[in-house]
Amino acid sequence: MGMIVQKFGGTSVGSIERIQHVADRVMSEVQKGHQVVVVVSAMGKTTNQLVDLAKQLTSQPSKRELDMLLSTGEQVSIALLAMALQEKGYAAVSLTGWQAGIKTETVHGNARIIDIDTTRIHQYLQAGQIVIVAGFQGVTEKGDITTLGRGGSDTTAVALAAALQADKCDIYTDVTGVFTTDPRYVKAAKKLEEISYDEMLELANLGAGVLHPRAVEFAKNYQVLLEVRSSMEEESGTTVKEDVSMEQHLIVRGIAFEDQVTKVTVQGLPHELPMLPTVFTALANRGINVDIIIQNTTNSGAAAVSFSIRTEDLPETLQVLESFKGAKIEYESQLAKVSIVGSGMISNPGVAAQMFQVLADKGIEIKMVSTSEIKISTVVSQENMVAAVEALHTAFQLDEKAAVRS
Amino acid sequence: MGMIVQKFGGTSVGSIERIQHVADRVMSEVQKGHQVVVVVSAMGKTTNQLVDLAKQLTSQPSKRELDMLLSTGEQVSIALLAMALQEKGYAAVSLTGWQAGIKTETVHGNARIIDIDTTRIHQYLQAGQIVIVAGFQGVTEKGDITTLGRGGSDTTAVALAAALQADKCDIYTDVTGVFTTDPRYVKAAKKLEEISYDEMLELANLGAGVLHPRAVEFAKNYQVLLEVRSSMEEESGTTVKEDVSMEQHLIVRGIAFEDQVTKVTVQGLPHELPMLPTVFTALANRGINVDIIIQNTTNSGAAAVSFSIRTEDLPETLQVLESFKGAKIEYESQLAKVSIVGSGMISNPGVAAQMFQVLADKGIEIKMVSTSEIKISTVVSQENMVAAVEALHTAFQLDEKAAVRS
């Protein structure tokens, strides 16, 4: 008997029928003798509908009031799930973020959790109750409601698991686990039995989309054992933990990719302006997220810098850059980023060379490269994206059954 | 310059356009230099939609969880109204019941307000902010969300006005004020300029539906000056206060009526059962609301009791009564209750006699009578209801212009 935190996303609680199904999932853990804390998101499209209401009133809603508005979505879900469990004969109680003691900084729309006072949750658990907590929300010291931003419910679940010293945190989602790459694009994609926090973090940041990076970081810091699994199917999912047993055998654990990438190159800035801080401070001030950055020196000795952005940010990026007198700007859109991730790279030199060779063999031109200890990213043209992923998936032995145990 | 509490009901905030209109109403008071606290209900049919969701899960939702669910409705409204005011350039902040310091008993679904800690509201008002408070909700000492039951937002507004010692509490609604009788049925109905708390209380209890009786009671206890007025039209409404200037001239201030009344008569209960406590305890335990009660003694000396109920409660009432062995039950449906209300009655004997004469002159049979200090109620057949109201409206000089000043 132990304590489990379960998290169900918006799709999993998207209708009355699905909420009843979630109740079944919760009950099956209770029947095993576990204490269960459940974190839920807002039902289906609720959050978007609430944002639409606000947008009808103002193009720039106050973030405090937006948090006040959006936090109602999870409050509806927790009450309904509690009712569903009670109807099935189980003792359950719902708690909003503030009732669950989730204290955050005073940053509306994207608050970080500072502390969780678990007194009330513990009282209910000790009284034999299933505790249902609203994800994505907390409260400031002053008593204002905050939301945690994207992936906030994952973060709530992991933070609660850490604060309660739960044995496990199960993240229920609409896929059966973490895959070697996106199975919607690559048929050979395989579900991973295990993955390390660091690998998951790189995959999450690269847009694998299963788990929010903030939640993974939190789990790593507090060594919370995670399992990513399907809310619809019974099969076991992917465990995320510190040490992964197959690390030695599998150099590359997954391949992430995203399209809609644009490469921008700037040169010719006035000499009195230091190139890198000038450009990237200006972009950051406009909230433009820059990914890969490469500094070149041209033959003439003039400084040039290239970087990648999401294509949707291109118009604003050009606007920023054009404000610099004399700047010469080039850009190339319809690109994609393809990255291989694996902690095995640390002890295996030559992985980058192998990656480049695989792409070269397929006649795929590499337009940018960026590396970290456990990740190598390349930018290629969008039309080559899937071919690149497939070739790398095969070359790094991810197609093979041996790589996977599920 | 003073402090005003304004309350807007669900219809008044039923759409984005209406919320913008409410914002205009709030701004016009701010422009006059007043400090303004606004209480709002949930948008339009939101509460019913939330109840429907719960009913899909369980026929008897836990009252705690239902409060958790329903309280989101007002939270959406307050956030949207704050945004609407901010968009128009006004400083506004929204507060849920618990944030506004509204403490209630631990009675879910129908909690009474125990105390209001106005510290936070005062801080915002002093900082020049418009404070928007969620109606209908509060929080228990333990930190659970409660709702105040029917008419709860009216109660919130009046209680806040009392706690803040506001100069005035304006209840905005979809009618222009309190009328001598329902203008939808009686063309001669006139809007009253003033009405006393006691008269309003009798009219509210009798189904006039403009103001909830709990709110009126609260206003009377704390001497809160109320005005009932239209959220759509500019004209002034009806003031509700302790002493009404026209009291001496107007014996009857209003005529209330409701159809769907059924009269039930019971006799022949076993001798060992005390009639009145037995019958009415059994009915109360089933939540059946009994209105007029008349105890008779038949010629044979057997005890008999007659009472009126809402016709919708008839099946359950019969079920309760039939459980008493030997009980002889009669009932008559398709009845209506017509009541005259006015504090002038106290000093004017013979009002009841006059009422009976007016009805007799019209050939209307009176089936039950009940009186209080400022009210006389009669039960008549449903088909005579409007004729009775019209005759009484004329007889007690309510048709005349002199009775009204608006």
Side-chain angles (χ1 to χ4, degrees):
Chain A
M1 184 183 138
M3 193 197 296
I4 294 183
V5 175
Q6 298 182 304
K7 181 258 169 178
F8 295 91
T11 314
S12 303
V13 294
S15 68
I16 291 296
E17 291 69 34
R18 290 198 173 183
I19 287 173
Q20 284 167 327
H21 182 76
V22 165
D24 292 336
R25 275 300 170 107
V26 174
M27 283 153 53
S28 77
E29 296 296 347
V30 174
Q31 282 158 4
K32 289 177 199 159
H34 297 305
Q35 290 185 315
V36 180
V37 175
V38 190
V39 174
V40 286
S41 303
M43 292 173 74
K45 305 276 171 212
T46 306
T47 305
N48 291 341
Q49 286 162 358
L50 291 170
V51 170
D52 284 347
L53 275 180
K55 293 278 177 192
Q56 287 177 51
L57 282 167
T58 166
S59 56
Q60 294 213 307
S62 131
K63 287 185 174 180
R64 180 192 184 278
E65 299 304 331
L66 202 56
D67 282 356
M68 176 68 93
L69 183 67
L70 298 186
S71 63
T72 61
E74 286 74 24
Q75 194 172 327
V76 167
S77 302
I78 56 173
L80 293 176
L81 180 56
M83 289 176 194
L85 283 162
Q86 288 165 353
E87 177 70 10
K88 289 167 193 280
Y90 286 75
V93 63
S94 70
L95 297 175
T96 61
W98 61 270
Q99 288 175 332
I102 299 173
K103 313 250 167 84
T104 74
E105 344 160 284
T106 308
V107 179
H108 288 287
N110 198 25
R112 286 181 176 268
I113 296 172
I114 296 170
D115 185 34
I116 302 184
D117 176 353
T118 56
T119 314
R120 211 168 160 189
I121 295 180
H122 273 302
Q123 281 168 358
Y124 284 121
L125 288 176
Q126 271 154 28
Q129 304 240 52
I130 300 165
V131 181
I132 302 157
V133 178
F136 180 68
Q137 59 183 248
V139 66
T140 68
E141 201 184 339
K142 195 178 149 198
D144 284 322
I145 295 173
T146 49
T147 65
L148 310 183
R150 289 207 172 194
S153 291
D154 286 353
T155 307
T156 302
V158 174
L160 276 174
L164 292 164
Q165 299 185 283
D167 298 280
K168 204 178 162 209
C169 180
D170 286 344
I171 307 284
Y172 285 86
T173 175
D174 49 1
V175 295
T176 56
V178 180
F179 281 72
T180 51
T181 192
D182 190 333
R184 288 172 302 182
Y185 289 82
V186 181
K187 284 231 168 71
K190 295 279 187 299
K191 190 171 73 184
L192 291 162
E193 190 185 350
E194 295 179 336
I195 190 168
S196 73
Y197 296 122
D198 287 336
E199 289 169 335
M200 190 65 227
L201 214 42
E202 291 288 9
L203 285 172
N205 273 321
L206 293 169
V210 178
L211 256 181
H212 198 269
R214 267 173 70 189
V216 180
E217 217 179 312
F218 216 113
K220 178 180 159 69
N221 289 343
Y222 291 90
Q223 297 288 305
V224 174
L225 185 67
L226 293 179
E227 183 175 340
V228 177
R229 55 188 306 177
S230 164
S231 59
M232 301 297 161
E233 288 164 57
E234 287 294 333
E235 60 179 294
S236 66
T238 300
T239 301
V240 189
K241 56 184 191 177
E242 188 66 53
D243 294 314
V244 173
S245 50
M246 294 168 65
E247 197 169 89
Q248 301 312 315
H249 308 295
L250 205 62
I251 295 169
V252 171
R253 197 166 300 273
I255 302 176
F257 53 90
E258 55 180 293
D259 56 4
Q260 305 304 331
V261 171
T262 290
K263 175 186 176 183
V264 180
T265 302
V266 197
Q267 48 187 318
L269 251 60
H271 284 294
E272 66 275 20
L273 291 178
M275 183 71 145
L276 292 178
T278 303
V279 169
F280 295 107
T281 303
L283 291 172
N285 287 343
R286 295 286 281 267
I288 296 166
N289 211 359
V290 172
D291 186 7
I292 299 176
I293 299 174
I294 295 167
Q295 167 125 30
N296 294 328
T297 307
T298 60
N299 288 340
S300 63
V305 67
S306 298
F307 55 88
S308 69
I309 53 169
R310 282 195 308 261
T311 301
E312 66 186 54
D313 288 334
L314 181 60
E316 208 169 348
T317 302
L318 293 179
Q319 208 178 31
V320 169
L321 298 176
E322 279 157 8
S323 70
F324 296 116
K325 214 171 140 186
K328 203 184 138 204
I329 305 151
E330 287 169 18
Y331 66 86
E332 185 176 4
S333 290
Q334 298 195 299
L335 301 179
K337 186 167 71 160
V338 174
S339 308
I340 57 175
V341 173
S343 10
M345 285 182 199
I346 298 172
S347 48
N348 283 275
V351 176
Q354 190 182 348
M355 181 183 193
F356 302 154
Q357 189 62 52
V358 169
L359 296 180
D361 289 348
K362 291 280 170 185
I364 296 170
E365 185 196 357
I366 297 172
K367 295 172 188 280
M368 295 177 99
V369 174
S370 162
T371 59
S372 80
E373 287 207 319
I374 65 164
K375 178 195 70 174
I376 304 166
S377 297
T378 57
V379 172
V380 300
S381 86
Q382 209 167 286
E383 59 184 18
N384 287 330
M385 180 178 77
V386 174
V389 175
E390 286 177 335
L392 293 166
H393 201 268
T394 305
F396 288 104
Q397 299 158 23
L398 297 175
D399 295 353
E400 294 165 28
K401 265 254 175 284
V404 183
R405 287 201 197 134
S406 84
Chain B
M1 186 185 136
M3 193 197 295
I4 294 184
V5 175
Q6 298 182 303
K7 181 259 170 179
F8 295 90
T11 315
S12 303
V13 295
S15 68
I16 291 294
E17 291 68 35
R18 291 200 173 180
I19 287 172
Q20 285 167 327
H21 182 74
V22 165
D24 292 336
R25 275 299 169 108
V26 174
M27 283 154 52
S28 77
E29 295 296 347
V30 174
Q31 283 159 3
K32 289 177 199 158
H34 298 306
Q35 290 185 316
V36 180
V37 174
V38 190
V39 173
V40 286
S41 303
M43 291 173 74
K45 305 277 172 211
T46 307
T47 304
N48 291 340
Q49 287 163 359
L50 291 170
V51 170
D52 285 347
L53 276 179
K55 293 279 176 188
Q56 287 177 50
L57 283 167
T58 167
S59 57
Q60 294 213 307
S62 130
K63 287 186 173 179
R64 180 191 184 278
E65 299 304 331
L66 201 56
D67 281 356
M68 177 69 93
L69 182 68
L70 298 187
S71 62
T72 62
E74 285 74 24
Q75 195 173 326
V76 167
S77 303
I78 55 173
L80 293 176
L81 181 56
M83 290 176 194
L85 283 162
Q86 288 165 353
E87 177 70 11
K88 290 169 193 277
Y90 286 74
V93 63
S94 70
L95 297 175
T96 61
W98 60 271
Q99 289 175 332
I102 299 174
K103 314 251 167 82
T104 74
E105 346 160 280
T106 308
V107 178
H108 289 287
N110 198 24
R112 284 181 177 268
I113 296 173
I114 295 170
D115 186 34
I116 302 182
D117 177 352
T118 57
T119 314
R120 211 168 159 189
I121 294 179
H122 273 303
Q123 281 168 358
Y124 285 122
L125 287 176
Q126 271 154 28
Q129 304 240 54
I130 300 164
V131 181
I132 301 156
V133 178
F136 180 68
Q137 59 182 250
V139 66
T140 68
E141 201 184 340
K142 196 178 150 199
D144 284 323
I145 295 172
T146 49
T147 64
L148 310 183
R150 290 209 171 187
S153 291
D154 285 352
T155 307
T156 302
V158 175
L160 276 174
L164 292 164
Q165 299 185 286
D167 298 280
K168 204 179 162 207
C169 180
D170 286 343
I171 307 284
Y172 286 85
T173 175
D174 49 2
V175 295
T176 55
V178 180
F179 280 72
T180 51
T181 193
D182 191 332
R184 287 172 301 183
Y185 290 80
V186 181
K187 284 230 169 76
K190 295 280 186 299
K191 190 171 73 183
L192 292 162
E193 190 185 351
E194 296 179 337
I195 189 168
S196 72
Y197 296 122
D198 287 334
E199 290 169 334
M200 189 67 228
L201 214 44
E202 292 287 8
L203 285 172
N205 274 320
L206 293 169
V210 178
L211 256 180
H212 197 271
R214 268 172 69 188
V216 180
E217 218 178 311
F218 216 112
K220 177 180 160 67
N221 288 343
Y222 291 92
Q223 296 288 306
V224 174
L225 185 67
L226 294 180
E227 184 175 339
V228 177
R229 55 189 304 179
S230 164
S231 60
M232 301 297 161
E233 287 163 58
E234 288 294 333
E235 60 180 294
S236 66
T238 301
T239 301
V240 190
K241 57 184 189 176
E242 188 66 54
D243 294 313
V244 173
S245 50
M246 294 167 64
E247 198 171 270
Q248 302 312 316
H249 308 295
L250 205 63
I251 296 170
V252 171
R253 197 166 301 273
I255 303 177
F257 54 90
E258 54 181 296
D259 55 5
Q260 305 303 329
V261 171
T262 290
K263 175 186 175 184
V264 180
T265 302
V266 196
Q267 48 187 314
L269 250 62
H271 284 294
E272 66 274 20
L273 291 177
M275 182 74 145
L276 292 177
T278 304
V279 168
F280 295 107
T281 304
L283 291 171
N285 287 344
R286 296 286 281 269
I288 297 165
N289 211 0
V290 173
D291 187 7
I292 300 177
I293 299 174
I294 296 170
Q295 167 125 28
N296 294 328
T297 307
T298 60
N299 288 340
S300 62
V305 66
S306 298
F307 55 88
S308 69
I309 53 168
R310 282 195 308 260
T311 302
E312 65 186 54
D313 288 334
L314 181 61
E316 209 169 348
T317 301
L318 293 179
Q319 210 178 29
V320 169
L321 297 177
E322 279 157 7
S323 70
F324 295 115
K325 216 172 139 186
K328 202 184 140 207
I329 305 151
E330 287 169 19
Y331 65 86
E332 185 177 3
S333 291
Q334 298 193 301
L335 300 179
K337 186 167 71 159
V338 175
S339 308
I340 58 175
V341 173
S343 8
M345 286 183 201
I346 298 173
S347 48
N348 283 276
V351 177
Q354 191 182 349
M355 181 183 193
F356 303 153
Q357 188 62 52
V358 169
L359 296 179
D361 288 348
K362 290 281 169 185
I364 296 170
E365 186 196 355
I366 298 173
K367 295 171 188 279
M368 295 178 97
V369 174
S370 162
T371 60
S372 81
E373 287 208 321
I374 64 163
K375 178 194 72 175
I376 305 166
S377 297
T378 56
V379 172
V380 300
S381 88
Q382 208 166 286
E383 59 183 18
N384 286 330
M385 180 177 77
V386 175
V389 174
E390 285 178 336
L392 293 166
H393 201 268
T394 304
F396 287 103
Q397 298 158 24
L398 298 175
D399 293 354
E400 294 165 29
K401 265 251 175 282
V404 184
R405 288 204 197 132
S406 83

